[in-house]
């Protein structure tokens, strides 16, 4: 009977050890899965950061081009305004001369 009890205790102990080892294996597998997911997400994050940097660079270049176009157009409008004012003065002078001659 003592042998039977010892054998049962030993079997229970072995069963418990197997369960604990099984749980450890499962936990290790889950840890590996999580590590793989983290690596994947990290890679995706790096790709997104690279894309964002590229888009920022392109935006900066496009902003510089737009600013150059704005500056050119602004200067052209200023010159046109000055020419219109000069023509207006010339027309007023010509009209005054014509009025004086009449």
């Amino acid at each position: 009977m003592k042998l039977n009890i010892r054998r049962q205790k030993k079997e229970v102990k072995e069963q418990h050890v197997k369960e604990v080892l099984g749980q450890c294996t499962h936990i290790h597998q889950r840890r590996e899965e999580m590590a793989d997911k983290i690596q994947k997400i990290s890679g995706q994050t790096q790709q997104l950061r690279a894309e964002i940097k590229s888009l920022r660079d392109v935006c900066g270049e496009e902003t510089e081009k737009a600013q150059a176009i704005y500056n050119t157009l602004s200067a052209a409008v200023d010159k046109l305004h000055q020419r219109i004012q000069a023509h207006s003065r010339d027309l007023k002078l010509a009209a005054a001369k014509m009025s004086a001659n009449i």
Side-chain angles (χ1 to χ4, degrees):
M1 184 129 154
K2 280 187 176 183
L3 279 175
N4 199 14
I5 292 174
R6 284 184 186 167
R7 190 176 299 152
Q8 285 179 349
K9 283 184 178 180
K10 185 177 179 183
E11 287 175 3
V12 169
K13 183 179 177 182
E14 287 176 1
Q15 182 64 32
H16 183 69
V17 168
K18 286 180 183 179
E19 287 177 12
V20 169
L21 288 175
Q23 289 175 355
C24 287
T25 302
H26 179 72
I27 290 170
H28 181 71
Q29 288 172 346
R30 291 287 294 152
R31 184 190 163 283
E32 290 295 320
E33 290 172 5
M34 295 306 283
D36 290 343
K37 285 182 182 180
I38 289 170
Q39 288 287 57
K40 185 178 178 181
I41 291 170
S42 177
Q44 291 172 343
T45 301
Q46 287 177 347
Q47 286 178 340
L48 287 173
R49 284 182 179 154
E51 288 179 30
I52 288 170
K53 183 184 180 310
S54 175
L55 289 172
R56 280 186 181 151
D57 293 343
V58 168
C59 273
E61 292 170 4
E62 293 300 318
T63 300
E64 288 176 10
K65 288 178 187 177
Q67 186 64 48
I69 291 170
Y70 172 79
N71 291 342
T72 301
L73 288 174
S74 180
V77 168
D78 287 343
K79 286 180 183 177
L80 179 62
H81 184 68
Q82 290 172 358
R83 286 177 40 203
I84 289 172
Q85 284 180 335
H87 285 302
S88 178
R89 278 190 305 262
D90 292 345
L91 286 173
K92 284 180 184 177
L93 287 174
K97 285 182 184 179
M98 287 176 77
S99 293
N101 289 336
I102 296 180

